Amino acid sequence: MPRDTLEGRRMNGAKILLKALQEQGVEVVFGYPGGAVLPIYDEIFKQNQVRHILVRHEQGAVHAAEGYARSTGKVGVVLVTSGPGATNAVTGLTDALMDSVPVVCLTGQVPTHLIGNDAFQEADTVGITRPCTKHNYLVKDANKLAKIVHEAFYVARSGRPGPVVVDLPKDVVMEIGAYSTAPRGIKRQQHKTYRPAHSPDPASIEAAVDLMINADKPLFYTGGGVINAGPAAANTLRQLVKETGFPITSTLMGLGSYPASGKNWLGMVGMHGTYESNWAMHDCDVMINIGARFDDRVTGNLKHFSPNSHKIHVDIDSSSVNKNVIVDVPIIGDAGVALSAILKLWKERKAQRKAPSKTKALKAWWMDIEKWKSRDCLAFRQGKKTIKPQYAIQRLFELTKKRKTFITTEVGQHQMWAAQFYRFDKPNRWMTSGGLGTMGYGLPAAIGVQLGNPDGLVIDIAGEASILMNIQELSTAVQYRLPVKLFIINNQYMGMVRQWQELLHGGRYSESYTDSLPDFVKLADAYGMAGLRVTDPAKVDDTIKEMMAIDGPVIVDVCVDQKENCFPMIPSGAPHNEMLLGPDDDANRTVSEEGMVLV
Amino acid sequence: MSSNIYEGAVPVSVLKDTDVYRHTIAVLVDNEAGVLARVVGLFSGRGYNIESLTVSVVDDDVQLSRINLVTSGTRQIVEQIKAQLCRLVPVHTVKDLTDEGPSVGRELALIKVSGTGDNRVEALRIGDIFRCNVVDSTTDSFVFEVVGTSEKIDAFINLMKPLGLAEVSRTGVAAIARGSSGMEDKASPKPKAKKTVAKKVTKAKAKTSPKRKSAVKKAPSKRTKKR
Ligand SMILES: Cc1ncc(C[n+]2csc(CCOP(=O)(O)OP(=O)(O)O)c2C)c(N)n1
Ligand SMILES: [Mg+2]
């Protein structure tokens, strides 16, 4: 229907909602029905532009929307019913808030006249979700519904992206109201109060390039902000790294913005980052943080964090700046815009850096780095008997790297090994729960990724404990013929918990062994999908190839060494240069009382 | 646009301080349901202090409300608070009245004092000195209305304690900047960054990170979302 005839047209709230979703270009909605949203489901039934994917749990719906959003750059959309539907979505919303993922979550609500009466399936959804969303709305008038939905999409995707909840009382979706069309084009949307930052101040760019020109030991430290700024930002970053010749590391969330095969790549930074990255963070004299937020997984002990560096911090969210670490040059704006501005100025001024002393200094810095690299911190020994988890992921990478592969993960050791051993060369190919660390994220996220990228090879690198948290979504994958692959690194333990207990709690493995695990091959069969198991290191390759050859969802149960630990590791509270490199390093040496309190 | 370049991002030299200061912050918000809960939730969720908070509609036509809040924290915390407030979607403008030049703050309190004899006479005499209005009176009680700075009201309450203080009801601080420009006056000159005019509350123990020279010097402190 042409826009002009749509404006002001009268229809019921549910229809208004569907029209607004269509106008926002929504292709997929992840949802689960219930009493309060029945009129909306009725409207969904009557149209075929917006596709509804029926999940098996509302948490799964939000993670699926996250996977969809992060792999496509579009807003993920969720529809759930009131009460338990909304409360089940809370974990997903919090996850999306922590990792800055654009999601619009539509929740049903009891009719307005019953709100506050403890009505059946009533929950104070706007109250509950206020602290775990970027913004939320309670719609009280069908005439305002379209405008609010357009605004919700704008708020979710602009500035620092995040989840937005729109709570829809049942009477509002049933009453007649007037439709209002979306402001034309993303840029044209204006908000009375919300004005996200975009272009950074030129003076701050100049100050940053000043520091860079004079740096002896520079380091790029990039994060999810570069991914969120879109593929063009990642491209600019690559050019800037090439132009400057500076080394680069990234947070968990930023993997892929600079290629892992790139010459200047040091690997991931942080608690399970590489030896060379963490030492470079510690020793650098100019740190260029682009779209990362000095998270505690990255900084370790703040008192000892990169003690001698001047710090530049590019962030679109001014509240991220000077929150954990005080920086010298704050740059508030979009990472892509800031990167372009820095690159342009750098090119103009790079002649100033040509001084022999600077070239020499950078060379010396790279020699330091090579020395750290030679520790080969990710080394592991694959024997003949049991599969090492690192080996399984390394082989998975080698055998799938030529395909358009997307990796999601659950949370635990396997997640860290995936970050270390799966080498991403492109942005938007890596979906993991970073900020919240939500077990159960990976499978629904993979479903969302696959829907957004039908031609992609989507693999959830999972742990056997995490996967059980949203295992019901297998049914969703089968229903929609989504050929997602579950690559379960099965160590029968909550490995990450077991590792901490081994290193920090005297080997008392309290409740971290999972007894009575299901037989994952039979489980696959029960859901109507293929199941494979591998226990012999020599058969890992063949099993992966077999998995890839199956044109449908597959579970691969990779039975790995149960006692393997994830190294390097910076124990909580320790500084970067006191990293544990392997089982022979004594954790008690580095962990202080103070550190034990930390998560 | 230069008016909000350093939103929430003040250079090191200003942030180094570990002393705790009291700040009065004015926040203009859209007068929509739940906006106060957002502000209060931000403070409780992130563990910030609220010493006083007042809220009222200030412009009925455009549905604007003003929240005045008094908080205390280190430089870094106060900057964080302002940046977090700015981030809330229905917030128009955040203004640090303590930082941005002279301002006045006033509170109104209703104070009930009961007693007879000398105490009653003394209470009335002190009330007079503090320019209180007596807004209710019985044979054995007064309700005083006192207006002034929070310190003045504190002082009056302390004096009433031995005289039969029965009940206190305070409005919290309403504050406003001195001078001719309004809160959203875009033409107003940018306030200069002040080192610290805030009143020190207590001394924090922790020492900050090692000194380093700051690469950026200016720090306009007005945080307006308007461009
Ligand atoms: C919902 C949730 N509950 C608890 C935790 C704490 N936790 C972090 S890792 C982990 C163990 C994960 O075990 P598994 O999925 O088998 O992965 P592994 O570490 O063995 O690779 C737990 C319990 C969490 N991150 N999320
Ligand atoms: Mg496990």
Side-chain angles (χ1 to χ4, degrees), chain A residues 411-414 437 439 463-466 469 491 493-497:
Chain A
V411 172
Q413 290 179 319
H414 63 276
M439 292 169 71
E464 81 296 331
S466 299
M469 285 211 178
N491 52 11
Y493 275 98
M494 298 170 198
M496 192 55 96
V497 174

Side-chain angles (χ1 to χ4, degrees), chain A residues 130 135-136 160 191-193 195-197 201 207 309-310 317-319 321-323 326-330 332, chain B residues 5-10 12 15 30 32 37-38 76 80 83-84 87 89-92 212-213 215-216 225 227:
Chain A
R130 201 174 283 128
H135 194 51
N136 62 15
R160 179 178 179 175
H191 190 274
K192 212 155 68 160
T193 51
R195 301 268 193 283
D201 169 31
S309 60
H310 289 286
D317 174 5
S318 67
S319 75
V321 174
N322 291 330
K323 181 173 66 183
I326 292 175
V327 299
D328 301 87
V329 182
I332 309 301
Chain B
I5 17 179
Y6 291 123
E7 260 192 18
V10 195
V12 188
L15 284 171
D30 249 8
E32 59 178 44
R38 278 179 217 286
Q76 192 182 354
Q80 231 338 265
Q84 292 288 355
R87 202 157 79 118
V89 169
V91 166
H92 279 266
R212 51 177 106 77
K213 80 173 193 284
V216 176
K225 292 189 170 190
R227 279 168 204 204

Side-chain angles (χ1 to χ4, degrees), chain A residues 298-560:
Chain A
V298 162
T299 61
N301 190 329
L302 277 175
K303 269 186 256 162
H304 303 284
F305 175 65
S306 195
N308 303 312
S309 60
H310 289 286
K311 297 174 185 73
I312 299 164
H313 187 180
V314 178
D315 206 304
I316 198 159
D317 174 5
S318 67
S319 75
S320 284
V321 174
N322 291 330
K323 181 173 66 183
N324 301 332
V325 172
I326 292 175
V327 299
D328 301 87
V329 182
I331 300 177
I332 309 301
D334 177 79
V337 180
L339 277 163
S340 303
I342 292 173
L343 179 63
K344 181 161 172 278
L345 194 60
W346 173 271
K347 281 183 176 164
E348 282 168 34
R349 293 186 49 191
K350 69 176 170 195
Q352 293 169 272
R353 202 180 149 78
K354 284 278 155 60
S357 67
K358 290 294 157 205
T359 327
K360 235 173 99 188
L362 188 62
K363 234 189 210 147
W365 177 227
W366 271 109
M367 273 162 68
D368 287 347
I369 291 170
E370 288 308 326
K371 196 178 67 208
W372 295 321
K373 268 191 181 167
S374 68
R375 290 294 298 261
D376 197 9
C377 67
L378 296 179
F380 61 92
R381 212 169 298 140
Q382 175 59 61
K384 290 223 157 65
K385 281 219 178 80
T386 48
I387 302 171
K388 289 284 181 190
Q390 299 96 320
Y391 176 74
I393 295 172
Q394 197 172 58
R395 294 312 303 158
L396 182 70
F397 166 66
E398 291 298 338
L399 295 170
T400 59
K401 66 182 178 190
K402 296 226 170 68
R403 297 271 300 269
K404 184 179 172 190
T405 309
F406 295 80
I407 301 291
T408 71
T409 74
E410 308 291 334
V411 172
Q413 290 179 319
H414 63 276
Q415 177 190 28
M416 293 298 116
W417 282 316
Q420 292 171 339
F421 289 91
Y422 205 100
R423 303 175 62 82
F424 297 94
D425 274 357
K426 293 209 171 81
N428 305 95
R429 295 294 181 84
W430 163 244
M431 274 43 68
T432 194
S433 171
L436 197 62
T438 313
M439 292 169 71
Y441 169 88
L443 169 55
I447 287 172
V449 173
Q450 189 78 74
L451 276 156
N453 305 273
D455 59 337
L457 171 62
V458 185
I459 305 169
D460 174 21
I461 298 180
E464 81 296 331
S466 299
I467 195 69
L468 290 179
M469 285 211 178
N470 272 322
I471 194 76
Q472 74 286 346
E473 299 306 327
L474 286 178
S475 175
T476 312
V478 173
Q479 178 181 346
Y480 296 97
R481 300 169 187 279
L482 301 171
V484 295
K485 319 293 185 209
L486 268 60
F487 196 73
I488 302 178
I489 304 293
N490 187 346
N491 52 11
Q492 302 211 16
Y493 275 98
M494 298 170 198
M496 192 55 96
V497 174
R498 196 201 56 77
Q499 175 167 350
W500 281 50
Q501 289 172 334
E502 179 186 327
L503 300 177
L504 307 167
H505 294 273
R508 292 177 294 280
Y509 301 124
S510 177
E511 305 294 325
S512 54
Y513 181 78
T514 322
D515 215 324
S516 311
L517 279 169
D519 177 330
F520 285 107
V521 175
K522 283 191 186 149
L523 188 71
D525 190 44
Y527 275 104
M529 55 198 283
L532 307 171
R533 175 170 297 122
V534 57
T535 49
D536 178 359
K539 299 216 172 105
V540 169
D541 276 26
D542 284 348
T543 311
I544 293 172
K545 284 180 198 154
E546 196 182 339
M547 170 194 89
M548 289 165 68
I550 297 170
D551 180 29
V554 186
I555 293 182
V556 187
D557 186 17
V558 188
C559 303
V560 299

Side-chain angles (χ1 to χ4, degrees), chain B residues 97-154:
Chain B
L97 294 171
T98 306
D99 258 12
E100 298 175 20
S103 63
V104 284
R106 289 289 179 273
E107 227 189 307
L108 181 146
L110 297 174
I111 292 159
K112 186 179 287 181
V113 181
S114 32
T116 51
D118 286 353
N119 279 357
R120 184 171 160 80
V121 176
E122 180 65 0
L124 195 61
R125 201 181 64 81
I126 297 175
D128 218 33
I129 296 171
F130 276 75
R131 289 178 214 190
C132 295
N133 289 324
V134 175
V135 293
D136 179 63
S137 165
T138 66
T139 52
D140 57 356
S141 73
F142 290 121
V143 174
F144 292 110
E145 173 200 278
V146 53
V147 176
T149 61
S150 304
E151 289 79 8
K152 173 178 166 183
I153 293 168
D154 290 345

